[in-house]
């Protein structure tokens, strides 16, 4: 007998079905609440509200579990390639060798961007933040590929739009960096793997050969996998709600990039490094900065700490923290920021303020230290997060369109002025 939720309103009892997911999560289905009762629910920030049923990513915030299509993040980060994980997220199953080869071949063929887009880059000021460039460039792709404007045109057309975006995002990202440096653009090369190609476009120069370090490629592959999806986070929810109006994939992902940019979300990885550098320049007094983070009068927050869902450790942070030590050792880098980060974590995790609020390092706390070690400039950190998150955004958009979900349109409780008559300006 399935569970029922009962709500008593005005002396009347209303019953609502309880649904249970494959991992035993439960929800009260209130889709008929307003029709039955005239009431709506209110949940600012959607802290207790499920927006959809999804089969892509499962996470358990209490147990620190993260699975993509049932596979643990630990196994995927250790054993898979980023494009293999992208295929898994988007199409639902780990690819056979033939499927993966075809997927990689299709993506490799579409890494170039239309030459006319170079003029857009050149119009930006050198100090333009690459996230602003990336969001507008991704939306602009829809103007070069008008067939993408109909998301439901055909499976082949949808796959082509998806593969084009997976292929072109690293090129757009690397060119936004080259544009900021006022360096010549480096074109993608078909002989390179996905991560090699990005690193080559970022750091190679036409005047000399550039050898991509396999240690750096492996580290980047792992980081991109760790960022690939995270169920209904702020930017993914943005992608889904924009896509729910049947806006095309490129404009939906562009909106997701804009949402990710915020310092409370993906922008935190840039904020973390800037915070660590600030603490370092201030003499490294970690206790002083932890006290500032606890002080309600002080706007300072410990960036990279806390999470809406993880009320225990973020499994990605655990993997990244270990990878930090490995990569800095392999690259023979001694970064004082790592020591400060570890000390900050240790002090915070022993402090009642953080413990009582279940504030632990999240995915952004250590990732910037690795990006820095790979030579990625700080302002590009959230761009890196976008490249990693792209397959997840695409998978979620695809699921939403294929499930024919209705346009997203939340309700509200009005608390403004009650009806009043217009007053002529001479009498105000
Ligand atoms: C990502 O959702 C996802 O899945 C996101 C993400 C993904 O993969 O897509 O995991 C990626 O965005 C990770 C989060 C990156 N952001 C940061 O590191 C920014 C710093 N963290 C926070 O601002 C905060 O922790 C959030 C935004 C992450 C979560 O905020 P919530 O859930 O709205 O919690 P809250 O702001 O209401 O905080 C609860 C309490 C408050 O104190 P009280 O009012 O109870 O006294 O904890 C405090 C907050 O002041 N608090 C912090 C803090 N984070 C929360 N205090 C100091 N430093 C912090 N970092």
């Amino acid at each position: 007998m399935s569970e029922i939720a009962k709500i008593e309103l005005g002396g009347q009892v209303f019953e609502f079905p309880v649904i249970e997911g494959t991992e035993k999560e439960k929800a009260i289905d209130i889709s008929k609440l307003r029709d039955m009762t005239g009431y709506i629910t209110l949940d600012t920030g959607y802290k207790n509200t499920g927006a959809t049923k999804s089969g892509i990513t499962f996470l358990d915030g209490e147990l620190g579990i993260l699975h993509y299509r049932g596979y643990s993040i630990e196994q995927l980060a250790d054993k898979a390639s980023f494009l293999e994980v992208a295929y898994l997220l988007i199409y639902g199953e780990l690819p056979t060798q033939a499927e993966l080869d075809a997927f990689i071949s299709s993506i490799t063929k579409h890494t170039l961007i239309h030459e006319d887009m170079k003029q857009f880059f050149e119009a930006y000021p050198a100090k333009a933040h690459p996230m602003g460039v990336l969001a507008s460039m991704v939306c602009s792709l829809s103007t070069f590929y008008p067939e993408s404007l109909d998301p439901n045109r055909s499976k082949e057309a949808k796959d082509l739009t998806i593969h084009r975006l997976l292929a072109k995002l690293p090129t757009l990202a690397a060119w936004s960096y080259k544009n900021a440096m006022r360096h010549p653009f480096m074109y993608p090369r078909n002989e390179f793997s996905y991560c090699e190609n990005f690193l080559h476009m970022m750091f190679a120069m036409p005047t000399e050969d550039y050898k991509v370090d396999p240690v750096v490629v492996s580290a980047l592959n792992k980081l991109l996998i760790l960022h690939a999806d995270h169920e209904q986070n702020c930017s993914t929810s943005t992608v889904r709600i924009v896509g729910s109006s049947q806006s095309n994939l490129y404009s939906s992902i562009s909106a997701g990039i804009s949402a990710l940019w915020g310092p409370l979300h993906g922008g935190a990885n840039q904020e973390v490094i800037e915070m660590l550098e600030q603490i370092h320049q201030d003499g490294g007094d970690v206790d002083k900065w932890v006290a500032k983070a606890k002080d309600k009068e002080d706007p300072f927050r410990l960036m990279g700490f806390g999470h809406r869902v993880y009320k225990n450790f973020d499994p990605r942070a655990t993997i990244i923290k270990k990878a930090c030590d490995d990569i800095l050792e392999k690259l023979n880098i001694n970064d004082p920021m790592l020591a400060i980060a570890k000390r900050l974590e240790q002090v915070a995790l022993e402090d009642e303020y953080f413990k009582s609020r279940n504030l632990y390092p999240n995915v952004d706390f250590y990732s910037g230290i690795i990006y820095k070690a790979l030579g990625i400039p700080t302002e590009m950190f959230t761009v890196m997060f976008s490249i990693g998150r792209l397959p997840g955004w695409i998978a979620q958009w695809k699921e939403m369109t294929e499930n024919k979900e209705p346009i997203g349109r939340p309700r509200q409780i009005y608390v403004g002025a009650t009806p009043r008559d217009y007053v002529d300006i001479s009498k105000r």
Side-chain angles (χ1 to χ4, degrees):
M1 174 29 186
S2 55
E3 203 177 343
I4 292 287
K6 294 183 180 178
I7 299 179
E8 184 175 343
L9 290 168
Q12 206 180 339
V13 175
F14 298 90
E15 295 191 348
F16 299 92
V18 171
I19 60 168
E20 183 173 297
T22 50
E23 288 284 358
K24 310 296 177 226
E25 297 167 301
K26 293 186 176 183
I28 301 167
D29 181 344
I30 57 164
S31 42
K32 303 245 182 318
L33 175 71
R34 192 168 184 275
D35 292 345
M36 291 165 65
T37 69
Y39 284 63
I40 63 166
T41 58
L42 183 63
D43 184 22
T44 307
Y46 310 109
K47 295 190 176 186
N48 306 280
T49 299
T52 189
K53 288 187 272 190
S54 175
I56 299 169
T57 290
F58 170 71
L59 61 87
D60 182 315
E62 280 66 34
L63 300 178
I65 290 171
L66 175 58
H67 291 169
Y68 295 161
R69 300 283 188 184
Y71 297 95
S72 78
I73 191 65
E74 290 81 6
Q75 288 185 26
L76 291 172
D78 195 30
K79 298 184 167 77
S81 71
F82 175 60
L83 285 185
E84 198 179 357
V85 170
Y87 186 101
L88 169 67
L89 287 167
I90 295 168
Y91 297 107
E93 297 295 335
L94 283 172
T96 61
Q97 189 61 58
E99 287 166 335
L100 183 59
D101 292 348
F103 185 60
I104 291 172
S105 159
S106 171
I107 288 168
T108 303
K109 270 206 303 274
H110 292 290
T111 49
L112 281 172
I113 57 177
H114 197 293
E115 283 292 301
D116 287 357
M117 292 191 91
K118 284 169 70 174
Q119 301 165 50
F120 301 176
F121 282 103
E122 284 148 9
Y124 283 102
K127 62 182 184 315
H129 195 291
M131 282 297 277
V133 175
L134 200 66
S136 49
M137 285 296 183
V138 166
C139 198
S140 302
L141 286 173
S142 59
T143 65
F144 287 85
Y145 305 104
E147 67 278 17
S148 67
L149 297 183
D150 171 6
N152 303 308
R153 187 194 193 101
S154 71
K155 181 189 177 318
E156 294 67 30
K158 186 181 281 190
D159 277 346
L160 177 56
T161 299
I162 288 170
H163 295 184
R164 274 182 172 141
L165 185 51
L166 284 165
K168 297 177 193 307
L169 193 71
T171 308
L172 293 170
W175 285 21
S176 64
Y177 169 62
K178 285 297 197 188
N179 177 64
M181 300 296 286
R182 292 304 189 240
H183 285 175
F185 295 131
M186 291 304 291
Y187 281 75
R189 302 255 294 266
N190 288 355
E191 70 268 29
F192 288 146
S193 71
Y194 197 77
C195 291
E196 276 175 314
N197 223 346
F198 172 72
L199 292 165
H200 186 265
M201 290 188 284
M202 278 285 288
F203 300 120
M205 295 290 268
T207 44
E208 61 197 11
D209 250 355
Y210 174 80
K211 286 270 168 282
V212 182
D213 181 336
V215 171
V216 176
V217 172
S218 165
L220 182 56
N221 181 70
K222 186 185 287 264
L223 276 172
L224 295 181
I225 289 172
L226 292 169
H227 287 80
D229 193 52
H230 214 239
E231 55 137 272
Q232 306 308 313
N233 58 83
C234 176
S235 54
T236 298
S237 301
T238 303
V239 169
R240 285 184 84 119
I241 202 160
V242 170
S244 73
S245 72
Q246 296 198 359
S247 184
N248 63 82
L249 177 65
Y250 298 135
S251 54
S252 303
I253 299 299
S254 171
I257 292 171
S258 299
L260 188 73
W261 193 359
L264 294 187
H265 191 13
N269 58 14
Q270 173 177 343
E271 299 278 330
V272 168
I273 283 295
E274 290 168 356
M275 170 187 76
L276 294 174
E277 283 164 353
Q278 189 179 14
I279 294 172
H280 182 56
Q281 278 146 28
D282 183 52
D285 180 354
V286 165
D287 295 305
K288 167 185 165 188
W289 289 87
V290 167
K292 282 169 63 69
K294 293 159 56 179
D295 178 0
K296 289 298 169 201
E297 301 310 308
D298 191 322
F300 174 76
R301 275 203 164 187
L302 211 47
M303 299 313 278
F305 252 73
H307 198 276
R308 172 62 56 77
V309 179
Y310 289 123
K311 298 309 172 194
N312 201 322
F313 64 96
D314 179 335
R316 303 166 297 177
T318 306
I319 298 170
I320 292 176
K321 180 180 177 182
K322 182 177 178 314
C324 252
D325 289 325
D326 298 347
I327 292 155
L328 267 61
E329 189 188 335
K330 281 181 186 159
L331 296 176
N332 198 19
I333 293 173
N334 175 23
D335 184 348
M337 301 307 131
L338 181 55
I340 292 178
K342 287 184 173 178
R343 176 103 178 86
L344 209 46
E345 177 184 9
Q346 184 195 357
V347 171
L349 295 189
E350 287 161 7
D351 186 291
E352 195 44 40
Y353 173 93
F354 292 88
K355 286 198 293 191
S356 63
R357 292 168 175 80
N358 299 310
L359 302 176
Y360 294 85
N362 58 48
V363 67
D364 294 313
F365 190 64
Y366 285 103
S367 55
I369 293 172
I370 298 183
Y371 287 138
K372 193 169 160 237
L374 302 186
I376 308 278
T378 306
E379 280 213 336
M380 286 287 290
F381 287 3
T382 313
V383 168
M384 300 310 297
F385 197 145
S386 305
I387 296 173
R389 185 53 52 90
L390 180 60
W393 284 332
I394 291 172
Q396 300 270 351
W397 173 86
K398 184 168 176 285
E399 180 181 69
M400 181 272 304
T401 54
E402 288 169 358
N403 290 348
K404 297 186 176 13
E405 292 189 5
I407 185 169
R409 201 266 183 232
R411 294 269 181 170
Q412 64 162 25
I413 293 295
Y414 177 70
V415 294
T418 51
R420 49 186 170 166
D421 294 329
Y422 180 83
V423 176
D424 188 82
I425 194 162
S426 60
K427 296 192 176 67
R428 287 180 202 158

